[in-house]
Every structure is written in structure tokens, then in C-alpha cells.
Amino acid sequence: MTAIINGKNKAFLFLCVLVVIFFWVFNPSSVRSVYGDGDGKYEDRGDSFSEYIVRNTIRKNVLTPGLGFFPIVADSYSFGDYTSYENGYKKYYSNLALQTVPASVLASFIGVQDYDKFQYYFIFLKLVNGLFFAVVLLGFLYLWCKKNNLKIFWPVPLLVASGSGFVFFSQNLYFVPGLMILPAIIVAYGAYVKGKINPVFVFVAGLLYFFRGYEFATVFALVSAFSAFVFSHGGLFKKLKSMAMVFGLIVLAFVSVLMIHVGLCMIETGLSVTGASSNVFSALSKRTASTTGVAKPLTLAFYNVMTYRWSLSGFSILNTWTVLSEINIIILMIGSMLIRFKHMDWNELAIYLFGFIGYASWYVFAYQHMMWHDMYDWYVFALTLGFSFIMLFTLYFNKVVVYLSSRVGVKV
């Protein structure tokens, strides 16, 4: 186990990370969202509305410091201008976005003051953000390949690099996507390398994610639990036990952050528990329990929305060549699951179940939010069905190569 990542493997993984970052940064497939980047006006191609909450909060913390735990939303947002907070702002109580705290401290420490320096600083933060995401995502998939004795790894970085949802959100300063996979790789490393999952590390990783925000919480919990299932040793019962433990730790982290969140709001606003909770959960009923402004579930309008979304690229390398659309991936996965069903083990079945259940979960628990934002489908799809597709393609590709090699007498 100690030789899982030796010097040669480190160099190879470093090269894989560079390939992924190149595609994510330069975006040769030219995937973009008009809403995401304001039709070219703003910096993030996935969700500039959210990212500028972080940018403006960091600038405000450094240039006009004051007490406060919460990020800000500029008043100019209502006029379609995300870039400046100087003409007024309000506190954003729905999420803590505590990534703004270390980012603000670092900016103050290195003397970032004027607008141009902040722009370079945010580029640096986005690169670090993308690097972190690439490392944890490729690290998880590398450990999974090692556990399953899959010797051909090179399809993984190519698929990760070309995943449209990853390209969209890999560097977003609000969502910090590396945190989404952090408990999963902690669980994978603990179960596979150390032989034991460390619950404290998993809980802390859960806290970090929810201190950032609550969006896509079901996907986060499921990918963490999924990691416990596929990496745990032993039979089905032991795998389910490990999965339940990790899922419970993520839920505990969620509840803990909610309580801290309300407490911080009480301190900052002087409100009662009821008043602070009203601030914190102001958008909850609309986002999770309504169909305000969106197509109602299972109607013709809903079908039309999903038909459009599934027609968009799931994996794309060049802007003139969409490799696979989302519906292509869904059809391929359903077909391969039917073909493989009688031959697959529990781990292989779990990959399929995670993909489909994980993708559907945020549509179920935050229907209005998902239907309101087309680009969120790209992100959730990449983290669930796209993630599963990468694992399954790598698994089956290795099986085919091993079979063909054996037929011609070549050792892989």
C-alpha cells in the first residue's frame, strides 16, 4: 500500500493534472452560458452572479473592513452590474461563503489594494481553485483504478478535461468544486490505503463544504457515501455500514453548520432565533418547495426543458466536435447496465445507481433551483452521471484491452 503513489506515478499524475487544467482554463470546446458570463461581460463562464458575491466580499473586506460574518450582494445586481459594490450592498444571509475569509486575509497580507491587482488576484484564486479540483478528482479516480487493478489510466484525464460541467464550474470561486469531492477522496484514501475511514476527517471535510454553502447538498452526501461503498473491503453488509456512517457524518456536518449559521446571524443582526432563522432560510421554501417561475414537474413544458438540456454537450473536446451529448451518455449507460446486469458485482452496480440517483436527487430536493438555472444541470450532471460514465468507460476499456491482449498473447 505504501507504494501506491511512487515517484513515477507522481510525475504521471502531475502531467494528468496539467492536461486537465489546460482544458479547463483555455476551454478549447468553447462551452459557455450566456447567463453564466453575462454574454461575455463577466469573468466566470458558469455562474458569474454567484462568483461576484465572493469577489465583491473580498474587495470589501480588504478595502473597507468591518465586523461581519456574511458575504455581500451589491445593490447594482438588480441593474445587471455585478462588478462593483461601492454604490451600496446588502448582506447575503443564505450562505456563509467562508472561503472569503482566508482569501481576504491573504489579499491583505500580500498588499492587494487597487482594482487591477484584485483582478490578477482573482485569476490566481481561480487557478488554485481549478488545481485543487483537478487534484482531488483525479486522485479519487486514480485510487479507484488502483483498487480495481485497472492499469490503463490515460482515458481518465481526457474525459475529466473534456467534461462540459467540469469546464463550466471548475474554477468558480463561489462553489469551490474541489470541496465537493474532498470527503470522497478522504474516504477512498482511508479505506483503501490505511484500511480504515477516519470519521473526524470526513466530518471536518463536510463542515468545510457546508461553510461554503448548501447548494447540491444531496449530490455531496451521495458522492461521499458512494466512495465509502466502492472502497470499503468486505461484503455487502460491511459496505452498506461504511456508506451509512459516511452519509451520517455528512448529515451531522450539515446540521452543525446550520446551527452555527443561525448563531452567527443572531450575533450579527441581534435578532432572535426565529428572526435569524428567517434570514438564513429566506429562500428555502422557494428553492426547494415551489415551482415559482419554472415548468411544473412531468408536464410538457418540463419535458421540453429536459429535452433541451439533454441535447447539450456532456463531453466535448473542440468547439466543432461535441463528442457526447447528455442524452447520448444516458442512453449508453442504460444500455450498458442492461447488458452487464447479470455479470456485475456490487461495486459496478453502485456506479450506475449513484449516477442516476445522484443526478435526480437535486431535481427532487431543489426542483425550482435546478429548473431556474440551465447551467446547474451541467454541473450536477458532470458530478453524477458524467462521473459514473468516466468510471464505467475506464473499467470497460480496460476489460476490452485485457481481453484483446490475451487473444494475441500480449501482456498489458
Side-chain angles (χ1 to χ4, degrees):
M1 293 297 183
T2 56
I4 285 175
I5 304 181
N6 55 33
K8 184 178 179 180
N9 290 341
K10 286 179 181 178
F12 174 68
L13 286 173
F14 177 71
L15 178 61
C16 291
V17 169
L18 290 182
V19 169
V20 169
I21 288 295
F22 174 86
F23 276 82
W24 286 357
V25 171
F26 294 102
N27 187 20
S29 57
S30 299
V31 292
R32 61 183 293 267
S33 162
V34 172
Y35 175 87
D37 64 9
D39 201 14
K41 183 178 180 181
Y42 302 117
E43 300 299 326
D44 189 77
R45 65 177 68 103
D47 186 3
S48 287
F49 180 101
S50 298
E51 172 153 313
Y52 274 86
I53 291 175
V54 174
R55 287 172 173 252
N56 286 326
T57 301
I58 294 170
R59 290 178 62 226
K60 179 262 175 188
N61 289 346
V62 174
L63 300 178
T64 56
L67 294 176
F69 300 103
F70 292 90
I72 64 170
V73 175
D75 290 343
S76 58
Y77 265 40
S78 59
F79 305 108
D81 179 12
Y82 304 160
T83 60
S84 175
Y85 71 92
E86 284 84 354
N87 294 323
Y89 60 85
K90 59 185 177 181
K91 290 296 182 75
Y92 183 71
Y93 290 107
S94 297
N95 280 329
L96 287 166
L98 280 188
Q99 67 269 36
T100 59
V101 175
S104 299
V105 171
L106 178 60
S108 296
F109 178 76
I110 63 177
V112 178
Q113 290 292 324
D114 60 58
Y115 184 83
D116 288 338
K117 286 184 178 179
F118 270 110
Q119 293 304 98
Y120 288 120
Y121 181 62
F122 293 139
I123 291 172
F124 164 74
L125 290 182
K126 289 175 77 69
L127 288 173
V128 171
N129 201 11
L131 180 64
F132 174 46
F133 188 32
V135 168
V136 295
L137 192 54
L138 289 174
F140 175 89
L141 292 167
Y142 176 80
L143 290 175
W144 177 76
C145 286
K146 293 293 288 185
K147 182 180 185 297
N148 291 278
N149 197 31
L150 306 181
K151 297 180 180 179
I152 304 173
F153 184 75
W154 59 261
V156 170
L158 296 180
L159 288 168
V160 170
S162 60
S164 298
F166 298 143
V167 174
F168 260 113
F169 286 90
S170 60
Q171 301 167 78
N172 187 279
L173 298 178
Y174 179 80
F175 291 109
V176 195
L179 292 177
M180 175 71 76
I181 309 297
L182 185 59
I185 193 171
I186 288 172
V187 167
Y189 184 82
Y192 177 50
V193 180
K194 297 296 184 181
K196 182 180 180 181
I197 300 170
N198 189 315
V200 175
F201 289 170
V202 175
F203 178 69
V204 170
L207 291 178
L208 290 175
Y209 182 82
F210 292 121
F211 277 133
R212 180 220 59 79
Y214 306 112
E215 293 92 351
F216 319 120
T218 59
V219 176
F220 176 63
L222 288 171
V223 73
S224 304
F226 166 70
S227 178
F229 187 93
V230 296
F231 277 96
S232 293
H233 301 286
L236 178 61
F237 178 77
K238 188 172 182 180
K239 286 177 171 292
L240 291 173
K241 184 178 178 181
S242 296
M243 183 178 72
M245 179 191 73
V246 170
F247 188 86
L249 288 168
I250 298 301
V251 171
L252 180 61
F254 175 75
V255 173
S256 300
V257 171
L258 278 179
M259 294 172 64
I260 294 170
H261 191 167
V262 172
L264 291 176
C265 188
M266 291 172 63
I267 293 171
E268 182 156 317
T269 63
L271 295 171
S272 64
V273 173
T274 302
S277 298
S278 180
N279 269 359
V280 169
F281 305 127
S282 59
L284 181 65
S285 61
K286 176 183 178 181
R287 293 308 194 190
T288 64
S290 81
T291 57
T292 304
V294 299
K296 290 182 170 53
L298 305 180
T299 62
L300 179 60
F302 168 80
Y303 172 79
N304 290 335
V305 169
M306 297 311 297
T307 299
Y308 166 72
R309 292 182 177 185
W310 288 347
S311 71
L312 300 175
S313 64
F315 292 88
S316 182
I317 295 176
L318 299 175
N319 60 356
T320 56
W321 180 25
T322 298
V323 179
L324 288 170
S325 67
E326 290 190 2
I327 191 61
N328 292 153
I329 294 167
I330 292 170
I331 292 171
L332 283 171
M333 287 185 61
I334 292 174
S336 62
M337 182 171 63
L338 293 175
I339 293 170
R340 287 284 302 167
F341 188 75
K342 291 183 179 180
H343 308 285
M344 64 178 67
D345 60 15
W346 290 115
N347 283 347
E348 189 176 340
L349 178 61
I351 298 172
Y352 284 103
L353 293 178
F354 162 70
F356 287 107
I357 294 173
Y359 177 67
S361 67
W362 202 240
Y363 276 98
V364 172
F365 288 96
Y367 178 81
Q368 194 274 348
H369 202 203
M370 277 294 287
M371 293 299 289
W372 187 262
H373 297 296
D374 279 341
M375 69 285 187
Y376 287 174
D377 178 83
W378 252 315
Y379 187 45
V380 172
F381 189 94
L383 289 166
T384 53
L385 285 168
F387 199 15
S388 293
F389 179 80
I390 291 170
M391 297 175 75
L392 292 167
F393 181 89
T394 306
L395 175 65
Y396 298 153
F397 183 79
N398 273 265
K399 285 180 178 292
V400 169
V401 170
V402 168
Y403 172 76
L404 294 177
S405 299
S406 66
R407 299 288 292 181
V408 296
V410 176
K411 184 177 181 182
V412 179

